[in-house]
Amino acid sequence: MAKTYPFTLQELPYPYDTLSPVVGEETLHFHHDKHMNAYVDNLNKAIEPYAELHDVTLNGLLAHLNQLPQTIQTAVRNNGGGVYNHQLYFSTVGAPNAGTKPDAALQSAIERDFGSMDEMKAQLGQTALTRFGSGWAYLVADAQGKLSICSTPNQDVPDLSQYVPLMTVDVWEHAYYLDYQNRRPDYVKAFLTLTNWDVVSKRYADRASLLETN
Ligand code: MN
């Protein structure tokens, strides 16, 4: 993925059948190749006329939305957020029950801030389930490493000047309808078996650089 305009669609870091049967191949093709691709294209269309924004990173655009030209704030919020959220979503999962584990630093932070891994997953899952309509649930870290759970509607992102999203659950129907129809609880429960803890642990360790919003 290019760091600045023109943004490009990041390839999936695994074959399309990797997440089966939790997330099927057909869902991944639609979700990545069609839905995510549209967010990339529409973000580029919004930014294109504004040369002064061509060297601003995605984090920078999203963390300073209210400083953008007013005419493109909504487009960047929706489409830039769509790119950010899907990049996080696709890059922090892998094959079901692949056996990865949080590293020692993340494991101890989860135990300190939630009591246990099971409790963290229960809270993240519950937050995803109770997000009304379309949106996202996240595990985030602040600069000091404190973990918390949050949720956003639509394609909004958490405050990227304060929090590093470590992992996320997409609860737009396009993420699960082909595999689960209206059964969001089944999708959320199964989706949480896909977490690639190697990638999530690295995001936690790298949180200082991921918080940069220039
Ligand atoms: Mn999605």
Side-chain angles (χ1 to χ4, degrees):
M1 168 92 185
K3 279 195 166 342
T4 59
Y5 175 90
F7 296 99
T8 51
L9 181 65
Q10 180 175 287
E11 293 300 315
L12 286 180
Y14 37 74
Y16 282 84
D17 60 358
T18 302
L19 308 182
S20 293
V22 173
V23 175
E25 213 170 328
E26 192 183 11
T27 295
L28 263 192
H29 273 291
F30 275 103
H31 200 178
H32 176 271
D33 306 354
K34 306 289 185 195
H35 289 281
M36 186 178 178
N37 192 47
Y39 293 121
V40 174
D41 285 348
N42 289 324
L43 173 62
N44 284 330
K45 274 183 207 151
I47 299 295
E48 196 273 327
Y50 299 92
E52 70 275 21
L53 299 177
H54 289 184
D55 59 355
V56 181
T57 63
L58 184 56
N59 264 35
L61 291 168
L62 292 170
H64 306 293
L65 273 178
N66 57 5
Q67 294 165 30
L68 299 179
Q70 205 159 9
T71 48
I72 62 166
Q73 285 183 11
T74 300
V76 173
R77 178 186 192 129
N78 291 339
N79 296 292
V83 174
Y84 184 98
N85 282 326
H86 286 94
Q87 210 160 265
L88 178 69
Y89 178 81
F90 290 128
S91 68
T92 52
V93 293
N97 299 306
T100 60
K101 298 241 182 314
D103 68 10
L106 180 56
Q107 179 68 36
S108 71
I110 288 171
E111 288 170 6
R112 179 194 64 209
D113 295 334
F114 297 98
S116 67
M117 172 63 88
D118 283 349
E119 182 57 26
M120 188 284 286
K121 283 190 186 176
Q123 289 186 27
L124 179 57
Q126 188 60 21
T127 300
L129 278 185
T130 52
R131 161 52 55 195
F132 181 75
S134 297
W136 299 79
Y138 309 82
L139 173 67
V140 302
D142 70 11
Q144 286 72 42
K146 182 169 172 38
L147 300 173
S148 55
I149 303 288
C150 68
S151 173
T152 64
N154 306 313
Q155 293 295 352
D156 289 1
V157 296
D159 179 354
L160 298 180
S161 66
Q162 302 291 324
Y163 298 105
V164 176
L166 301 179
M167 60 187 282
T168 189
V169 185
D170 184 347
V171 290
W172 282 59
E173 285 184 344
H174 68 224
Y176 60 88
Y177 216 81
L178 290 175
D179 298 312
Y180 299 87
Q181 294 77 49
N182 62 331
R183 302 189 306 280
R184 188 189 282 194
D186 293 350
Y187 155 71
V188 169
K189 186 168 180 223
F191 184 77
L192 292 175
T193 68
L194 300 179
T195 308
N196 182 333
W197 288 105
D198 295 338
V199 176
V200 176
S201 299
K202 186 160 179 358
R203 290 183 67 81
Y204 185 65
D206 292 346
R207 61 188 178 273
S209 63
L210 291 171
L211 270 173
E212 283 168 16
T213 55
N214 297 317

